[in-house]
């Protein structure tokens, strides 16, 4: 595999994305909701019953949280803020790289078709694996950067607004470090690879974006699992999830690169 070819494809795609203001605008919505609105609302309303009544699943999560997880000296408001910001919102945060990947990755081959630049790219001497990997990297870098930036904002809000309610510095913990620096790249890679695979067969961006639902389902399962008391998204669960997703990433990428049909795309364009 030629790394220079991969980086060339990634840089070209990334420059196209950065010039597309319509594609960049939606990237701000999800990070603002999960990195600003949710943590600020929880920290400011932690002592109010309105919060647990209005956030779906939060009340059930607090009722089912395992004994010994929470510091024993917290009052009711401290429990809500600590548990919600540290555990409840953790799996939901994974929606940021998935949604960013969906917006950018879905325009991969579809965008090339719309700009009428795909045929020239397909005739270049790059291998299928290099082509797919280059497309993946073009969306992976923005997905990781946006998510890491969102994490910094989340951490600032959690510490500035949450610490006075909890009574101590509590964020981030080990679970969040594993989530942000290990799970986020792995989940983003999986989402983008699937989207790129579908993008090569789809004629519309919306059709390519639909596959991101497959990656969202496990995230929603983690949220439901926490709310029902079946599991807690802690460091051990995060590490297990990272190991499983890493194996899936490799398998899915190799399958997508192997089944990528360049000749089929060229035939459809001519």
């Amino acid at each position: 595999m030629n790394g220079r070819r991969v980086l060339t494809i990634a840089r070209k795609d990334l420059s196209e994305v950065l010039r597309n203001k319509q594609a960049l605008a939606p990237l701000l919505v999800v990070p603002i909701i999960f990195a600003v609105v949710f943590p600020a609302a929880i920290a400011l309303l932690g002592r109010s019953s309105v919060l647990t009544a209005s956030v779906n699943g939060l009340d059930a999560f607090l009722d089912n949280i395992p004994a010994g997880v929470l510091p024993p000296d917290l009052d009711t408001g401290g429990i809500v803020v600590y548990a919600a910001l540290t555990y409840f919102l953790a799996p939901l945060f994974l929606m940021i790289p998935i949604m960013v990947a969906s917006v950018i990755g879905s325009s991969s081959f579809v965008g090339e078709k719309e700009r009428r630049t795909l045929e020239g790219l397909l005739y270049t001497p790059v291998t299928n694996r290099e082509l797919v990997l280059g497309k993946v990297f073009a969306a992976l870098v923005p997905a990781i950067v946006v998510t890491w930036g969102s994490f910094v904002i989340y951490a600032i809000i959690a510490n500035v607004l949450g610490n006075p309610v909890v009574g101590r510095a509590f964020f981030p913990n080990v679970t969040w470090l594993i989530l942000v620096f290990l799970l986020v790249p792995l989940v983003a890679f999986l989402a983008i690879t699937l989207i790129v695979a579908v993008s090569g067969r789809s004629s519309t961006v919306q059709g390519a974006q639909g596959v991101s639902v497959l990656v969202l389902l496990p995230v929603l399962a983690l949220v439901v699992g926490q709310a029902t008391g079946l599991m807690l998204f802690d460091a051990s669960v995060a590490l297990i999830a990272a190991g499983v997703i890493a194996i899936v990433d490799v398998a899915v990428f190799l399958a997508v690169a192997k089944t990528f049909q360049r000749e089929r795309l060229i035939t459809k364009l001519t």
Side-chain angles (χ1 to χ4, degrees):
M1 182 179 293
N2 190 314
R4 182 174 298 178
R5 293 175 180 173
V6 172
L7 291 177
T8 299
I9 295 171
R11 281 197 298 266
K12 181 184 72 66
D13 270 28
L14 188 56
S15 65
E16 293 289 345
V17 170
L18 294 177
R19 285 199 295 265
N20 187 350
K21 304 303 180 184
Q22 292 181 338
L24 291 177
L27 301 185
L28 300 177
V29 177
V30 175
I32 288 174
I33 292 174
F34 288 102
V36 178
V37 177
F38 281 2
I42 288 171
L44 293 173
L45 301 175
R47 289 192 169 96
S48 172
S49 59
V50 174
L51 179 65
T52 54
S54 58
V55 178
N56 290 333
L58 180 56
D59 200 16
F61 166 70
L62 293 172
D63 290 338
N64 292 304
I65 196 165
V69 171
L70 302 176
D73 58 335
L74 298 181
D75 59 16
T76 302
I79 289 174
V80 173
V81 172
Y82 182 94
L85 293 184
T86 305
Y87 295 104
F88 185 74
L89 290 184
L92 286 172
F93 205 80
L94 290 173
M95 290 187 180
I96 296 178
I98 294 173
M99 298 309 295
V100 174
S102 173
V103 172
I104 299 178
S106 59
S107 65
S108 180
F109 288 105
V110 177
E112 295 273 9
K113 294 174 186 177
E114 293 175 348
R115 295 188 297 270
R116 300 181 182 275
T117 58
L118 180 58
E119 187 173 4
L121 178 63
L122 294 175
Y123 279 117
T124 59
V126 298
T127 66
N128 289 348
R129 189 173 295 183
E130 291 167 350
L131 180 57
V132 172
L133 191 58
K135 294 287 186 181
V136 169
F137 278 172
L140 181 64
V141 173
I144 292 175
V145 169
V146 170
T147 307
W148 284 357
S150 300
F151 170 69
V152 172
I153 296 172
Y154 185 104
I156 292 173
I157 292 175
N159 285 298
V160 172
L161 299 181
N163 286 2
V165 182
V166 177
R168 61 172 66 87
F170 67 97
F171 190 91
N173 61 1
V174 176
T175 302
W176 271 89
L177 296 178
I178 296 172
L179 181 148
V180 171
F181 295 108
L182 193 58
L183 264 178
V184 163
L186 291 172
V187 167
F189 187 93
L190 176 59
I192 296 165
T193 304
L194 291 173
I195 291 168
V196 167
V198 175
S199 180
R201 302 170 182 269
S202 178
S203 57
T204 64
V205 171
Q206 290 76 16
Q209 287 177 338
V211 74
S212 62
V213 175
L214 296 176
V215 188
L216 281 174
L217 290 177
V219 174
L220 296 176
L222 288 173
V223 176
V224 173
Q226 285 202 127
T228 56
L230 293 176
M231 52 147 284
L232 181 70
F233 190 78
D234 56 9
S236 60
V237 172
L239 283 174
I240 293 172
V244 172
I245 295 174
I247 295 172
V248 174
D249 277 356
V250 174
V252 170
F253 171 75
L254 293 177
V256 170
K258 184 177 181 180
T259 58
F260 179 74
Q261 298 179 353
R262 184 184 302 215
E263 296 77 11
R264 177 176 173 273
L265 284 173
I266 293 175
T267 302
K268 289 178 67 175
L269 290 172
T270 56

